[in-house]
Amino acid sequence: MNGGPETPPPLEGGDWGEGVVRLVPGTARINPSPPPPPSRGGGGSGPSLRVRLRNRGLDGVTLLVLPGALFVVALFVYPFLYGLVLSFRPKDGGWFLANYATFFADPFLYDTIGKTLAIAVPATLLNVALSVPVAMRVRLMRRQRLLTTILVIPITLGTVLVAEGLLTYLGPRGWVNRVLIEFGLSAHPIRLVHNYWGVMLSLLISGFPFTFLLTLSYVTGIDPSLENAGAMLGARAAERFRRILLPLLVPGLAITLALSFVQAFSVFPSAVLLGAPAGPTRVISIAAYTAAFEQYDYPLASAIAMIMAGVQVLIVVALLAARGLVFRGPASTGKG
Amino acid sequence: MLQRETSLGARLWAILVWGLVGFFILNLLGMIASVVVNSVGTRWFTTWLPAGWTVRWYVLAWNEFGLPDILLTTVQVVGAVVLLSGLLGVPAAYAMARRDFPGKRLILLLFLLPLLVPPITYGIPLATVLYQAHLAGTIWGVILANLVPSLPFVVLIMIPFVEQIDPRVEAAARVFGAGTGRLFVQVLVPLLMPGILAAMLLVLVRTVAMFELTFLTSGPTSQTLVVALYYAVFAAGVRPGQSIDAMAVVYMVTTLVWLLIALRFVNPTQIVTRAKR
């Protein structure tokens, strides 16, 4: 209750007034819907079904959520379950785990997990490690808008354009190699595309802004008075970071890590365009795509998609569980 | 206000951090600029800039890649996705903001998941289902697939906007006899306009750039600009690289114009932190 001195008296016995409206801070608790019509017919001892449903928050307005929710069920939940079931029905018949057995027996297939992790894990860690100090610095800036606008560009342009841009920029005739040669750092162009490094650099270009903006939103959510108190008590910047900010930041960092990892793990266009899709950057999404749209083996493709989702869930759950081990102070949402 | 530290170490650290940011932005702008320069250059081998300037790569891209058709498809897909996600998403957001009902947390999770799971992971099962329904390959398959992340995105963006509206305004409209439909048309939509506009623009930008879902569900006649660009880069060598870059510039302009318009209404961080609740 937002304890005003005078709460309005409940209307009409008050059997529909409470618990229906979601409270908006600073507004009076008034039900936006009209009072229910008096129940017709005899009896009238208890509230009608409509009134009872409304007491639980179910009325005509609640039904507005249904079209959207049903759409997501039909085109997100159902395909996922369908894919799960399909993955247990191998194309050529046989054992229900045959697709998974195929995946884990063929090094060309199961190696993709290791190759994807070898790209995604360093990229994620590097992005987060770079984001934290930069966010710490940027939060003190008064005009952050220009920087955040520049950084949102690569996210908006998407991975395909970043891949095409890097092909030109990092290519043998691109400006990067031009600089290296002109300044005598290298005698001949360095190969930066169509290999592991091309994919890694594309994950940095499109991943760092994402990680940074996410980190920044968590950093600015920490109440600055906590740090001021630390400073007043004589803690230096490094100490304030380690003992005050970092513990408050850990829950947000865990989510940032999880989201950036999941993004990096599902790298697809840049692994094809900038990497060596037959060799070191044959990531798991390429394997799933090849199975589905080149071999037309949808059950195997579904199995690979499920394995991909499984690895992602495993890492995310591990990260969020690790977050629970660290102190979670109530002050982490100081900004409100 | 916090005291800045003035020791040598602190200054070096600040220089290092800003140097890092500068280096990143330099490379980012270099990447974009090299696409633009390459698309208007004639021959460009071992020099800083091309030997001469021309627009013929744009003419070539316009004719060879069938850009008019691709742009038309893109407009149709994006328009339909923006419209449908708004029509389904805004009422859902209204119900989520105004009512506490059993299973609300489950519904919220339902709307969060398509934003958290990467498109390529759920795109393959989704494409399989759409192929079975003979929808994949058509423009409707592309629209349906793109609605999967867009609709929850609209819902999650609109919930706080609805919560800002004083429920007494709605109560007054109800007292004067407005039904839910009229309440929406005459009271809520005008009040929610800034939020709706922001959500629609962000959906627009995201749909123009949505590669994975469109790629997995589109056929030869239902490619959007970003998918056509992917195929052009994938088959590099068939056509001159400059005309691919010309197409990339067309794509960049299409995306960035809308981004700039969207940024008048939203904070850049909102594009990323949509899932934070």
Side-chain angles (χ1 to χ4, degrees):
Chain A
M1 299 293 285
N2 52 346
E6 284 176 86
T7 39
L11 310 163
E12 274 189 41
D15 61 348
W16 52 275
E18 293 293 313
V20 177
V21 188
R22 187 167 162 152
L23 258 191
V24 178
T27 57
R29 177 179 273 229
I30 292 181
N31 196 315
S33 51
S39 53
R40 273 178 230 125
S45 53
S48 70
L49 179 66
R50 233 178 119 178
V51 175
R52 271 183 286 141
L53 280 178
R54 186 171 291 186
N55 279 345
R56 303 199 63 192
L58 290 167
D59 61 1
V61 170
T62 318
L63 293 181
L64 292 174
V65 84
L66 275 183
L70 287 180
F71 180 86
V72 177
V73 169
L75 281 156
F76 180 78
V77 179
Y78 169 70
F80 223 96
L81 295 178
Y82 179 85
L84 189 64
V85 171
L86 194 66
S87 72
F88 292 121
R89 290 188 185 157
K91 198 169 102 181
D92 312 321
W95 192 38
F96 77 107
L97 283 176
N99 282 321
Y100 293 90
T102 311
F103 184 88
F104 287 107
D106 185 354
F108 195 55
L109 288 175
Y110 71 72
D111 270 358
T112 57
I113 295 185
K115 282 174 184 169
T116 318
L117 286 175
I119 297 170
V121 171
T124 310
L125 291 179
L126 196 59
N127 280 335
V128 174
L130 294 179
S131 294
V132 174
V134 176
M136 284 293 160
R137 195 52 56 183
V138 170
R139 103 203 126 112
L140 302 171
M141 252 167 85
R142 268 188 218 96
R143 298 179 65 83
Q144 303 170 0
R145 181 98 185 195
L146 179 66
L147 183 66
T148 47
T149 303
I150 293 176
L151 287 181
V152 95
I153 290 176
I155 302 176
T156 317
L157 289 178
T159 38
V160 177
L161 189 107
V162 169
E164 166 63 8
L166 288 182
L167 276 175
T168 313
Y169 182 59
L170 301 174
R173 297 182 334 223
W175 280 332
V176 169
N177 273 312
R178 192 81 258 130
V179 169
L180 291 177
I181 291 168
E182 294 281 333
F183 289 90
L185 296 168
S186 167
H188 45 81
I190 295 179
R191 196 182 151 108
L192 289 167
V193 291
H194 297 304
N195 59 14
Y196 176 86
W197 295 108
V199 183
M200 180 60 90
L201 290 172
S202 88
L203 284 182
L204 290 182
I205 285 266
S206 52
F208 171 73
F210 177 83
T211 325
F212 166 73
L213 292 175
L214 210 55
T215 314
L216 185 66
S217 77
Y218 285 114
V219 166
T220 49
I222 295 176
D223 191 345
S225 61
L226 295 170
E227 207 195 345
N228 282 340
M232 223 158 18
L233 293 173
R236 314 284 315 229
E239 211 176 351
R240 288 201 303 268
F241 174 74
R242 196 166 50 81
R243 313 249 314 236
I244 300 172
L245 292 173
L246 190 59
L248 291 174
L249 200 55
V250 162
L253 274 188
I255 292 181
T256 310
L257 263 176
L259 286 179
S260 350
F261 169 77
V262 163
Q263 277 217 335
F265 193 80
S266 58
V267 55
F268 179 65
S270 55
V272 177
L273 302 177
L274 267 174
T281 72
R282 191 181 143 85
V283 292
I284 191 162
S285 51
I286 297 182
Y289 174 79
T290 319
F293 297 101
E294 284 172 24
Q295 299 161 3
Y296 299 104
D297 188 345
Y298 291 113
L300 180 63
S302 298
I304 299 176
M306 294 303 140
I307 291 168
M308 182 155 69
V311 174
Q312 288 166 351
V313 168
L314 216 67
I315 303 254
V316 168
V317 167
L319 276 171
L320 296 185
R323 175 180 85 154
L325 299 177
V326 189
F327 164 75
R328 283 184 74 187
S332 59
T333 51
K335 202 165 101 174
Chain B
M1 198 59 216
L2 214 59
Q3 286 274 311
R4 297 270 180 127
E5 307 228 349
T6 47
S7 68
L8 185 67
R11 276 188 192 168
L12 280 177
W13 177 244
I15 291 171
L16 189 73
V17 170
W18 285 122
L20 194 81
V21 175
F23 183 70
F24 183 87
I25 292 176
L26 182 76
N27 280 294
L28 175 62
L29 297 181
M31 178 196 94
I32 293 171
S34 60
V35 171
V36 177
V37 169
N38 197 29
S39 75
V40 291
T42 48
R43 280 180 304 123
W44 189 8
F45 292 115
T46 53
T47 47
W48 287 102
L49 289 172
W53 309 96
T54 173
V55 291
R56 76 187 158 100
W57 305 119
Y58 285 86
V59 179
L60 193 70
W62 189 262
N63 298 326
E64 286 242 316
F65 292 113
L67 272 186
D69 284 347
I70 292 168
L71 284 173
L72 183 68
T73 313
T74 311
V75 169
Q76 285 169 338
V77 168
V78 172
V81 168
V82 166
L83 209 67
L84 288 173
S85 62
L87 282 178
L88 291 172
V90 175
Y94 178 70
M96 294 289 285
R98 284 291 189 242
R99 292 287 185 274
D100 267 320
F101 50 89
K104 187 175 169 183
R105 292 178 67 88
L106 194 72
I107 302 263
L108 190 65
L109 183 71
L110 190 68
F111 285 133
L112 268 173
L113 275 178
L115 296 174
L116 297 179
V117 180
I120 195 96
T121 312
Y122 66 84
I124 286 177
L126 175 63
T128 313
V129 167
L130 287 176
Y131 269 106
Q132 301 246 312
H134 300 289
L135 281 168
T138 70
I139 194 161
W140 282 106
V142 176
I143 292 171
L144 284 176
N146 273 293
L147 273 172
V148 174
S150 306
L151 171 65
F153 185 76
V154 171
V155 174
L156 292 182
I157 286 219
M158 288 310 295
I159 288 176
F161 278 102
V162 177
E163 283 172 344
Q164 279 169 13
I165 294 182
D166 191 334
R168 280 176 294 190
V169 177
E170 293 152 45
R174 295 269 191 197
V175 165
F176 286 116
T180 305
R182 222 167 139 196
L183 179 72
F184 259 91
V185 174
Q186 297 200 335
V187 179
L188 287 173
V189 169
L191 283 174
L192 286 173
M193 222 7 142
I196 295 179
L197 216 57
M200 300 291 93
L201 282 167
L202 289 179
V203 165
L204 195 157
V205 171
R206 286 165 57 95
T207 310
V208 171
M210 169 50 77
F211 167 72
E212 282 91 348
L213 291 176
T214 314
F215 174 65
L216 292 174
T217 55
S218 64
T221 56
S222 53
Q223 286 175 17
T224 61
L225 195 50
V226 68
V227 175
L229 178 65
Y230 171 87
Y231 281 120
V233 182
F234 186 71
V238 178
R239 295 188 181 84
Q242 292 97 323
S243 71
I244 298 173
D245 274 335
M247 191 164 162
V249 171
V250 173
Y251 166 76
M252 265 202 288
V253 170
T254 331
T255 321
L256 292 183
V257 165
W258 292 106
L259 176 70
L260 285 181
I261 297 175
L263 286 177
R264 294 184 64 91
F265 298 96
V266 294
N267 195 321
T269 39
Q270 261 179 292
I271 294 176
V272 168
T273 55
R274 75 238 168 192
K276 203 181 123 193
R277 278 228 95 209

